[in-house]
């Protein structure tokens, strides 16, 4: 078991973290430029490059080294294999040093900053509802409707003529023949027919 | 904080000790229910049917109705 994982602050799942995160961005507490970003921050694992390198090149997708421990935002993985940011600035490093002391001496913003160093999204952020269901239902109904059109065309242009066995007269004669043959006379079909009266029981 | 150590062993045994008697009892009830709800009435129905069964009469009725190919109704 990786010891560094145990010293990370645990993943918070309360809504208060999100509210405090909002207050965090509004009070403009910034560790580095662009580190504490907006809620639509990308989930790309770009930890291999520093910020300045990313700003220098155009945004080409960096090849991720899959042999190294990776960070991942997953509901079933509360403690990923590595912290979200592992290239720390001097301010981050001093904060990490302060984290080694008693945690009661950390201010609320510092605790949140440490959390955001270790994790990218909180559980409420990961679980945030999306409008995808509308797309799914809409697509479903579109395809169902199209299939309905196909089926209607098929009944009009593909089906052969209806077999004569479906006519009402033929079915009546068939029923009479089944009763004459005494199909299932003990517990089934003909058992329910009253032969004396000539009607169903 | 000292929590009690959770139970680590015998979980399957505990589950089986609880569920197996229930499973056997329910299966037995289902079998008995089926026997006396389905098979006994069915056997009685067949016995009652064949107690009053006249094969020749039934055959003549079917013959007159015209369902056979080997023997036609007496009218034809």
């Amino acid at each position: 078991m990786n010891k560094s994982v145990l010293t990370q602050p645990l993943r918070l799942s309360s809504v208060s973290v999100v509210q405090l995160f909002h207050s965090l961005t509004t009070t403009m507490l910034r560790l580095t430029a662009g580190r504490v970003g907006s809620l639509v921050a990308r989930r790309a694992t770009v930890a291999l490059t520093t910020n300045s390198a990313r700003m220098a090149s155009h945004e080409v997708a960096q090849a991720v080294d899959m042999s190294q421990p990776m960070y991942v935002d997953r509901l079933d993985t509360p403690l990923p294999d590595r912290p979200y940011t592992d290239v720390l600035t001097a301010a981050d490093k001093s904060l990490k040093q302060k984290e080694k002391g008693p945690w009661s001496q950390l201010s609320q913003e510092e605790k949140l900053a440490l959390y955001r160093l270790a994790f990218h999204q909180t559980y409420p952020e990961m679980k945030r509802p999306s409008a995808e269901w509308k797309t799914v239902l809409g697509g479903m109904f579109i395809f169902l409707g199209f299939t309905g059109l196909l089926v209607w065309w098929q009944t009009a242009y593909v089906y052969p003529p209806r077999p004569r066995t479906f006519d009402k007269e033929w079915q009546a004669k068939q029923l009479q023949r089944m009763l004459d043959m005494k199909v299932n006379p003990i517990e089934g079909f003909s058992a329910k027919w009253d032969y004396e009266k000539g009607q169903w029981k | 904080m000292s929590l009690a150590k959770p139970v680590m062993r015998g979980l399957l045994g505990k589950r089986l000790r609880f569920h197996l008697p229930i499973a056997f009892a329910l299966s037995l009830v289902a079998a008995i229910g089926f026997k006396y709800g389905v098979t006994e009435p069915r056997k009685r129905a067949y016995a009652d049917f064949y107690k009053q069964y006249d094969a020749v009469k039934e055959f003549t009725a079917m013959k007159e109705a015209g369902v056979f190919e080997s023997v036609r109704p007496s009218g034809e």
Side-chain angles (χ1 to χ4, degrees), chain A residues 3 7 22 61 80 86 89 92 104 119-120 124 146-147 153 184 195 199:
Chain A
K3 195 174 166 220
T7 59
H22 281 293
D86 46 3
T89 66
D92 295 341
S104 49
F119 301 107
H120 177 49
F146 179 69
T147 310
W153 178 87
N184 287 335
Y195 281 92
Q199 62 185 23

Side-chain angles (χ1 to χ4, degrees), chain A residues 177 180-182 185-187, chain B residues 42 46 49 58 62 65 67:
Chain A
R177 188 177 149 85
D180 292 338
M181 288 195 287
K182 300 240 170 65
I186 304 170
E187 279 196 326
Chain B
R42 186 171 290 166
Y46 273 74
F49 179 81
E58 300 288 333
M62 283 191 220
V67 296

Side-chain angles (χ1 to χ4, degrees), chain A residues 183-198:
Chain A
V183 171
N184 287 335
I186 304 170
E187 279 196 326
F189 185 74
S190 305
K192 298 188 167 65
W193 178 262
D194 193 341
Y195 281 92
E196 277 98 52
K197 290 193 203 135

Side-chain angles (χ1 to χ4, degrees), chain A residues 17-45:
Chain A
V17 175
V18 183
Q19 290 167 350
L20 285 161
F21 176 62
H22 281 293
S23 68
L24 198 74
T25 50
T26 53
T27 56
M28 300 292 280
L29 176 73
R30 289 171 177 275
L31 296 175
T32 60
R35 179 68 62 82
V36 177
S38 63
L39 277 175
V40 294
R42 286 183 302 278
R43 278 184 176 208
T45 57

Side-chain angles (χ1 to χ4, degrees), chain B residues 11-24:
Chain B
L11 296 164
L12 178 65
K14 180 173 165 204
R15 178 186 170 82
L16 287 178
R17 250 174 285 122
F18 179 75
H19 281 100
L20 273 181
I22 295 174
F24 274 101

Side-chain angles (χ1 to χ4, degrees), chain B residues 23-36:
Chain B
F24 274 101
L26 283 179
S27 311
L28 208 63
V29 166
I32 293 172
F34 191 82
K35 181 185 172 70
Y36 290 106

Side-chain angles (χ1 to χ4, degrees), chain A residues 23-198:
Chain A
S23 68
L24 198 74
T25 50
T26 53
T27 56
M28 300 292 280
L29 176 73
R30 289 171 177 275
L31 296 175
T32 60
R35 179 68 62 82
V36 177
S38 63
L39 277 175
V40 294
R42 286 183 302 278
R43 278 184 176 208
T45 57
V46 288
L48 296 177
T49 65
T50 63
N51 275 345
S52 59
R54 214 166 73 199
M55 283 190 284
S57 67
H58 58 106
E59 296 285 349
V60 177
Q62 304 288 337
V64 176
D65 186 359
M66 295 286 204
S67 63
Q68 298 296 320
M70 291 175 63
Y71 178 82
V72 63
D73 272 322
R74 282 176 59 116
L75 292 178
D76 56 1
T77 313
L79 298 173
D81 295 335
R82 67 162 182 81
Y84 179 55
T85 47
D86 46 3
V87 278
L88 301 172
T89 66
D92 295 341
K93 285 193 182 122
S94 66
L95 192 58
K96 280 290 191 188
Q97 278 301 114
K98 196 174 173 196
E99 191 194 12
K100 293 183 183 170
W103 285 348
S104 49
Q105 289 177 3
L106 294 170
S107 75
Q108 194 60 23
E109 291 97 356
E110 284 173 332
K111 288 180 192 171
L112 283 177
L114 283 167
Y115 181 86
R116 290 294 169 179
L117 280 180
F119 301 107
H120 177 49
Q121 286 187 319
T122 65
Y123 266 80
E125 285 168 15
M126 276 195 278
K127 286 185 184 178
R128 69 185 176 278
S130 75
E132 190 188 5
W133 65 274
K134 298 177 198 167
T135 312
V136 169
L137 274 186
M140 264 174 59
F141 290 135
I142 286 170
F143 281 109
L144 276 177
F146 179 69
T147 310
L149 284 174
L150 282 182
V151 167
W152 167 80
W153 178 87
Q154 195 179 43
T155 57
Y157 290 97
V158 176
Y159 281 8
R162 217 150 172 262
R164 58 181 173 169
T165 55
F166 282 80
D167 303 335
K168 279 280 176 271
E169 306 84 39
W170 187 283
Q171 296 225 314
K173 285 199 275 185
Q174 186 173 338
L175 182 63
Q176 183 56 51
R177 188 177 149 85
M178 282 172 73
L179 290 170
D180 292 338
M181 288 195 287
K182 300 240 170 65
V183 171
N184 287 335
I186 304 170
E187 279 196 326
F189 185 74
S190 305
K192 298 188 167 65
W193 178 262
D194 193 341
Y195 281 92
E196 277 98 52
K197 290 193 203 135

